[in-house]
Amino acid sequence: MGKTVMDWIDQNEKKLIELSDQVWEYAEVAMEEYRSSSLLADYLEELGFKVERGVAEMPTAFVASYGKGKPVVGILGEYDALPGLSQEVDPEQKPIEKGAPGQGCGHNLFGVASLGAAAAVKEAIDQGKVKGTVRFYGCPAEETLTGKVYMVKAGLFEDVDISLAWHPGGINSMWIGSDQAMNSAKFRFYGRTAHAAGDPWNGRSALDAVELMNVGSNYLREHIITDARVHYVITNGGEAPNIVPDEAEVWYYVRAPKRHQVEEIYDRLVKIAEGAALMTETELEIDFLTGCYNSLHNHTVGDVLFEKLEEVGAPSFSEADKAFAEKVSESFKPKQKETAVSKYSSEAAEKLMEKPLCDIVIEPQGAGRVSGGSTDVADVSWVTPTAQFTTACNVLGAAGHSWQFTAAAGMGIGHKGMITAAKVLGLGALEFLNDEQLVDKARTEFKNAVKKNPYSSPLPKEAKPPVKKPK
Ligand SMILES: [Zn+2]
C-alpha cells in the first residue's frame, strides 16, 4: 500500500520538480498567486480531482478532492512568495530583479509536496487499496496570515477528520511546541491640514496621533507578559514637513503565546490609539487586517507523521548540493548558525553544527515551548486534528525569510526536501485512511484539547478577505 505512494512519487518526481520550479519562478506574493494556484489546480483537475476554485471568496484559494466518504484527510498546501527576496539559483546574493518577490520561505515546495502526496494517495484509492477522501487545500496568503483564517471561517474544514501539513525548514524534524497567536491591524488617524509654519494652530496633526500612539505602546511593553511582542511600522507619515498631515497610519502586530492574551493586549492598544486621537483632536479608524491562533499540535497525528519521516529518511543531498550549501554558509557568520541550532536539544545542535545541510532525522523538538513566529496553519489546528513537520530544504543556519532560502528552494536542496515531504505526507494520509481507530484517537485527543476554549474566529463577522486583482 505504502509502496504505491512511494512509487507514484518516484515516478513523477520530475513533474513535481517542474511544478515547484514554475511556482518558484512565478514568485507571487500573498493574494496575487493567480498563476501559481491555477497551475496546481489545473494539474489536480487533469488527474481527476474535483476542484473548487475561488473558495472562501478568495480567487487564489481552492480545494481539490478525490475519493468518497469518510474519513476525509486534508493536506494543506501554500504557494505565496515574499516581497523583496528575488534571487537567482546562486550561492551568492544575486537578485533576478532587485526588489522583486522571491520564494524566501520555500512555499513553492510546500504546495507541490502536498499536491504530490494527494496525487499519490489518489493512486492508492484507484487501486482499491484504501477508501475515503483525500483533499488538497490550496491555501493562499500564508505570509500575511490570511488564507487559512478565512478558509476556516468559511467552514471549509468542517467535515475534515485529519489534516496534515509540513513546512520547508533547515532540519528534518517536527516542532511539537506551539507558536504565537497574532493580530494585525492598521490604525489610521484623520486630522486637519494647515501651513505648518504660517497657521499651525489651525491644523490637527494625524502624524502626532501616530507618534503619541507609538509612545503609548512603547510604555505598554513594560506591563505586558514577557513573551508577548508588539511591533509596528509607520505606513503613512504625511507628505511634506510644511503641511500639517491630515492623514497618517501605523501598522501593528501583536503576538502572544495564547489567543486570549493577544486579545487582551490588543484591547489595551486600541485604548492607547483612542487616547492619542483624544489628545490630538483627530479621528481614529481601525482597519483590522487579520488575526490567527497559536497552533495546537495533535500528538496522534504528529506521531504518525514522525514515524513516516523516520521511515522515509532524511533527503540524501548530492555533492553539488553540499558544495552549494558550503558556499551559501560563507554569507553569514558561524554565530548565526550556532544561534539557529541552539533552539534544538544540545545533542541535536552538536550534530548539526558539523554539517552544511541536515541529512539526518532529528527527534521532535519544542515540547512545552513557543516559537517566535506565527502561522495560519494554527487556525486549522483548532478546528481539526493537525500536525506539521519540517524537512531540510534550506542551508543550516541560513535565515528563514532570506535570499539564501529563495536560492535553495529553487534547486536540488529544496527539491530533495520536497520529495521527502511528499512521501511522508502520502504515507501519513494512507495510515489514517486505513485505520478508523487511529482517526478516532486523534479526534478524541483533539476534542479534549479544545473543550474548554472552542475556536472562535479572530476575524470580525463582516470581515472580507483582502483580495487583489490579477496583474
Ligand atoms: Zn512559510
Side-chain angles (χ1 to χ4, degrees):
M1 189 173 64
K3 194 173 174 303
T4 313
V5 162
M6 298 287 265
D7 286 352
W8 190 93
I9 294 167
D10 283 333
Q11 284 153 17
N12 291 277
E13 186 179 309
K14 226 179 116 208
K15 178 69 193 174
L16 296 176
I17 290 174
E18 209 180 282
L19 289 169
S20 147
D21 284 351
Q22 187 62 70
V23 174
W24 184 90
E25 250 179 76
Y26 289 155
E28 297 167 300
V29 298
M31 291 292 174
E32 291 179 11
E33 319 93 331
Y34 284 90
R35 291 188 294 171
S36 306
S37 61
S38 299
L39 181 78
L40 304 189
D42 289 351
Y43 178 71
L44 287 169
E45 203 164 57
E46 263 169 48
L47 289 182
F49 277 74
K50 188 178 133 264
V51 177
E52 268 179 278
R53 298 171 199 246
V55 294
E57 295 179 69
M58 292 179 287
T60 57
F62 70 96
V63 179
S65 304
Y66 195 82
K68 58 172 188 275
K70 288 272 186 183
V72 179
V73 175
I75 306 178
L76 309 179
E78 297 171 3
Y79 27 75
D80 59 327
L82 284 158
L85 292 182
S86 166
Q87 166 69 20
E88 306 256 12
V89 173
D90 194 294
E92 284 174 57
Q93 187 167 19
K94 228 177 263 170
I96 297 172
E97 189 192 332
K98 207 174 178 317
Q103 287 287 359
C105 198
H107 290 183
N108 59 309
L109 308 167
F110 191 159
V112 175
S114 301
L115 164 147
V121 171
K122 171 203 175 271
E123 190 68 20
I125 295 176
D126 282 345
Q127 292 187 13
K129 290 180 174 153
V130 279
K131 283 200 186 105
T133 306
V134 63
R135 218 177 261 165
F136 173 87
Y137 281 85
C139 310
E142 191 280 332
E143 294 298 353
T144 53
L145 299 166
T146 327
K148 296 179 206 72
V149 189
Y150 279 95
M151 291 170 89
V152 169
K153 186 166 173 265
L156 296 175
F157 292 90
E158 264 164 23
D159 65 341
V160 175
D161 294 298
I162 300 289
S163 99
L164 310 180
W166 77 290
H167 198 290
I171 63 169
N172 309 291
S173 188
M174 179 176 282
W175 184 260
I176 57 171
S178 190
D179 38 40
Q180 304 257 58
M182 192 186 109
N183 271 2
S184 162
K186 286 180 173 171
F187 295 81
R188 215 168 290 132
F189 295 90
Y190 296 99
R192 243 185 2 241
T193 54
H195 194 299
D199 62 339
W201 50 85
N202 285 326
R204 295 292 180 268
S205 170
L207 178 62
D208 286 0
V210 162
E211 291 191 271
L212 287 164
M213 177 181 177
N214 294 346
V215 170
S217 75
N218 288 326
Y219 275 94
L220 175 74
R221 285 180 205 283
E222 200 185 1
H223 306 285
I224 56 177
I225 50 166
T226 335
D227 289 331
R229 296 282 181 276
V230 177
H231 25 252
Y232 61 82
V233 287
I234 296 175
T235 37
N236 178 7
E239 298 291 336
N242 61 348
I243 311 164
V244 174
D246 65 341
E247 204 181 315
E249 184 186 84
V250 58
W251 184 6
Y252 268 88
Y253 281 4
V254 175
R255 302 189 209 239
K258 297 258 157 60
R259 183 67 213 157
H260 74 89
Q261 295 165 334
V262 167
E263 280 162 15
E264 284 155 22
I265 296 166
Y266 180 77
D267 286 347
R268 289 167 73 191
L269 188 65
V270 168
K271 282 184 193 159
I272 290 171
E274 287 166 353
L278 186 68
M279 281 189 278
T280 51
E281 293 185 339
T282 55
E283 298 282 330
L284 168 66
E285 183 183 275
I286 301 173
D287 194 359
F288 187 90
L289 298 177
T290 193
C292 72
Y293 265 61
N294 49 295
S295 56
L296 184 64
H297 176 77
N298 186 284
H299 292 274
T300 310
V301 178
D303 289 351
V304 168
L305 287 178
F306 191 73
E307 196 188 294
K308 301 301 172 193
L309 178 59
E310 282 189 306
E311 189 182 324
V312 174
S316 48
F317 296 107
S318 67
E319 287 310 312
D321 296 334
K322 286 179 200 160
F324 190 94
E326 296 276 9
K327 187 84 194 137
V328 168
S329 305
E330 290 169 16
S331 66
F332 52 84
K333 298 214 168 78
K335 199 87 203 146
Q336 179 173 324
K337 184 170 173 185
E338 221 176 289
T339 311
V341 301
S342 70
K343 65 176 180 230
Y344 311 125
S345 69
S346 51
E347 195 195 332
E350 208 175 301
K351 283 187 211 159
L352 294 171
M353 276 312 283
E354 293 162 10
K355 304 165 181 289
L357 289 168
C358 180
D359 57 0
I360 47 174
V361 173
I362 308 275
E363 69 277 17
Q365 300 287 316
R369 283 161 56 201
V370 179
S371 82
S374 310
T375 169
D376 63 6
V377 172
D379 292 72
V380 177
S381 77
W382 279 83
V383 296
T384 182
T386 306
Q388 186 168 26
F389 65 98
T390 60
T391 68
C393 299
N394 194 8
V395 177
L396 272 170
H401 287 173
S402 63
W403 65 261
Q404 289 93 338
F405 204 170
T406 306
M411 48 83 66
I413 298 172
H415 297 157
K416 292 185 185 76
M418 172 182 83
I419 296 298
T420 301
K423 289 177 176 171
V424 174
L425 290 167
L427 293 179
L430 275 196
E431 194 79 29
F432 284 105
L433 289 172
N434 208 35
D435 189 341
E436 216 173 297
Q437 276 175 352
L438 195 60
V439 174
D440 286 346
K441 189 180 167 209
R443 294 206 61 85
T444 306
E445 182 194 332
F446 166 75
K447 280 179 196 148
N448 286 332
V450 300
K451 206 163 49 191
K452 279 202 191 118
N453 299 299
Y455 181 79
S456 147
S457 178
L459 302 168
K461 234 198 191 100
E462 64 289 351
K464 292 266 177 232
V467 168
K468 291 189 197 165
K469 289 209 170 72
K471 278 192 171 162

